[in-house]
Amino acid sequence: MYSIGDLSKKTGVKIPTIRYYEQMGLIAAPDRTEGNQRRYERRELERLSFIRHARDLGLSIEAIRDLVELSQHPEKPCTGADAIATTHLASVRAKIAQLKKLEHELERIVSHCAGHTVGDCYVIRALSDHGLCEGSMDEV
């Protein structure tokens, strides 16, 4: 049995976040001692580690909830889990593409700046006049 503090230390998840996951139904509400302290079992430690890793990979709470549900049925095919991971991968790739566009535009703006005075600064002018941008950054 683990206290909430032990669970936090072992998983790196902060105590308020553990309580939040409990409220969200991602981990089971633990048994309590006579002193009303939460006592978690090994399966909650494993579940919390799973959630932490999924969050580190950027998965949403909804996706994690679906994966937790799927994990409770080990006999079923893993197509649902694959679909969640594939959808998330597509989202990550789209964000990377947006960040690359942003990086290119910032490099372009910085390269035009001659480093004179703020009054002549291309960075300031480009940020003030969207027309000086190479492309629409609204897509970023």
Side-chain angles (χ1 to χ4, degrees):
M1 301 290 280
Y2 303 96
S3 70
I4 196 167
D6 292 337
L7 209 59
S8 177
K9 286 176 191 161
K10 289 185 179 296
T11 62
V13 177
K14 295 182 180 179
I15 291 173
T17 305
I18 295 171
R19 290 184 185 128
Y20 171 74
Y21 291 157
E22 213 178 287
Q23 291 171 348
M24 297 296 293
L26 293 175
I27 59 173
D31 291 331
R32 292 187 179 253
T33 65
E34 288 182 20
N36 204 30
Q37 290 184 328
R38 292 172 163 89
R39 291 291 177 209
Y40 297 88
E41 295 187 25
R42 178 92 185 150
R43 70 176 177 262
E44 279 77 35
L45 173 68
E46 292 168 357
R47 171 77 54 82
L48 191 56
S49 294
F50 173 90
I51 293 166
R52 168 72 191 265
H53 190 203
R55 292 297 289 158
D56 287 347
L57 291 173
L59 288 159
S60 68
I61 294 292
E62 295 78 23
I64 294 169
R65 183 185 315 282
D66 292 344
L67 289 167
V68 165
E69 174 63 29
L70 288 168
S71 74
Q72 294 173 355
H73 303 282
E75 73 287 353
K76 289 187 174 183
C78 67
T79 53
D82 288 344
I84 291 167
T86 300
T87 299
H88 186 59
L89 177 59
S91 174
V92 167
R93 286 180 173 156
K95 288 176 186 174
I96 289 170
Q98 291 173 336
L99 287 170
K100 285 180 179 180
K101 286 180 186 178
L102 178 60
E103 177 186 33
H104 173 76
E105 183 62 16
L106 288 169
E107 283 176 344
R108 191 188 68 74
I109 290 171
V110 169
S111 72
H112 281 77
C113 197
H116 300 290
T117 64
V118 171
D120 294 328
C121 181
Y122 190 81
V123 172
I124 300 293
R125 285 197 335 257
L127 293 174
S128 299
D129 181 356
H130 193 64
L132 294 176
C133 289
E134 189 171 87
S136 174
M137 295 312 299
D138 294 335
E139 298 171 1
V140 173

